[in-house]
Amino acid sequence: MDATSPLTARALLLGERLDMRGLERTGATLPGVVSLADGGDGLAFGFRWGALVTIGMSAEATAALQDRLLPRIGDPVQPPAEETATLQLDPAREGTDKDGVVLLSDFAPARLAVVAEALARSALLSHQEAMLVRTLDRLDPVLARLRRGRLAPSSSVMLASIGEAIAARSRAGARVDTAAKPDLLWDLPALGTLYATLADEWEIEERTEALSRKLEMIREISETLLSLVEARRSRGLELAVVLLIALELGTAVYGLFK
């Protein structure tokens, strides 16, 4: 890996989780992130919540590493959500330039791990954003019928939409709190400014808040749909009881006249 040339960082969200048990590790030991490659063909960092970040690594080496990790991926994401960034060595300053290039005073593993964490969180947010868009699209036909004063033709249609909405909520919150301070910064507080700069550049906080609002909206929609399903079932049971009583009375009356 040539430290004088720009490096490409690529974050891939491979699945819901990455099993690190017994996995061969190389490079520095860092909190919250696992170094999977540290050699002439680039660096790689893994995250237990399913992300892989490579820096300065060729496409062939990245594909080989993905294949090695595949048996350890739980609930794979197909295709993997991907985010990229360009890293440039600049001893005079650190941050991002007008073109979004990440400027680093050095390419030390800890500093690159901070970049990897921020980029991986951005990839996770991109995946969650796309997932919630699909969920809201699935709910649109049900909501369109409600606007016309009608429910879905069957409870199964609404329950399927509600199930997808609930799954979106649970998956979005189960992986990692993207608004929280990375574990790496507790041991290396000097890198906090770099992470804050990258989080601002990639709008980590704003996107997290926007997702929270959408998830809250989905929660409210789900609760409303569930209450409507229960109300329709209650009305159906009430109607069935009335019909049974009417049938019983009709039978009794018929018996009297008979």
Side-chain angles (χ1 to χ4, degrees):
M1 186 173 66
D2 185 3
T4 61
S5 302
L7 300 178
T8 297
R10 179 175 289 104
L12 299 168
L13 185 67
L14 302 178
E16 295 282 339
R17 59 194 173 277
L18 174 59
D19 185 3
M20 298 293 190
R21 292 174 297 181
L23 184 62
E24 181 182 354
R25 309 179 188 195
T26 60
T29 301
L30 301 166
V33 58
V34 177
S35 180
L36 299 176
D38 184 6
D41 199 23
L43 284 78
F45 300 98
F47 298 86
R48 288 180 174 82
W49 38 272
L52 169 68
V53 180
T54 62
I55 299 177
M57 184 173 283
S58 66
E60 294 78 9
T62 299
L65 181 55
Q66 283 185 254
D67 290 340
R68 182 160 65 92
L69 295 177
L70 186 59
R72 297 175 173 271
I73 300 298
D75 296 325
V77 173
Q78 294 294 341
E82 181 175 344
E83 294 279 327
T84 60
T86 301
L87 315 183
Q88 178 67 58
L89 188 64
D90 189 342
R93 60 188 179 126
E94 196 160 69
T96 57
D97 65 12
K98 60 182 179 60
D99 297 320
V101 175
V102 179
L103 307 175
L104 300 175
S105 58
D106 61 62
F107 285 161
R111 186 166 271 101
L112 292 176
V114 169
V115 177
E117 176 95 33
L119 194 61
R121 291 187 178 199
S122 181
L124 173 60
L125 287 170
S126 295
H127 173 66
Q128 291 177 346
E129 288 161 353
M131 183 173 59
L132 289 186
V133 167
R134 290 195 299 270
T135 299
L136 291 172
D137 287 344
R138 178 76 177 269
L139 288 171
D140 270 347
V142 177
L143 298 178
R145 291 182 65 88
L146 285 177
R147 285 194 292 269
R148 297 194 297 269
R150 291 181 291 174
L151 292 177
S154 68
S155 296
S156 62
V157 174
M158 281 198 294
L159 289 175
S161 300
I162 293 169
E164 186 165 336
I166 294 173
R169 288 175 53 208
S170 62
R171 288 179 178 176
R175 283 176 168 161
V176 61
D177 183 359
T178 52
K181 180 179 179 180
D183 293 341
L184 187 64
L185 298 184
W186 292 107
D187 288 3
L188 300 169
L191 297 176
T193 301
L194 173 60
Y195 178 80
T197 300
L198 297 176
D200 183 63
E201 175 71 20
W202 296 325
E203 300 180 328
I204 301 295
E205 182 176 350
E206 293 85 349
R207 292 162 68 193
T208 298
E209 291 177 355
L211 278 171
S212 297
R213 290 193 296 270
K214 289 180 181 180
L215 288 170
E216 179 62 23
M217 179 178 65
I218 287 175
R219 183 190 67 81
E220 294 176 356
I221 293 173
S222 299
E223 290 178 351
T224 300
L225 291 177
L226 282 172
S227 65
L228 291 173
V229 169
E230 290 300 321
R232 183 161 70 177
R233 285 180 175 175
S234 297
R235 288 196 299 271
L237 288 173
E238 291 172 358
L239 179 60
V241 170
V242 171
L243 290 175
L244 287 173
I245 293 173
L247 181 60
E248 185 69 23
L249 288 174
T251 303
V253 170
Y254 176 77
L256 289 175
F257 280 103
K258 184 70 173 179

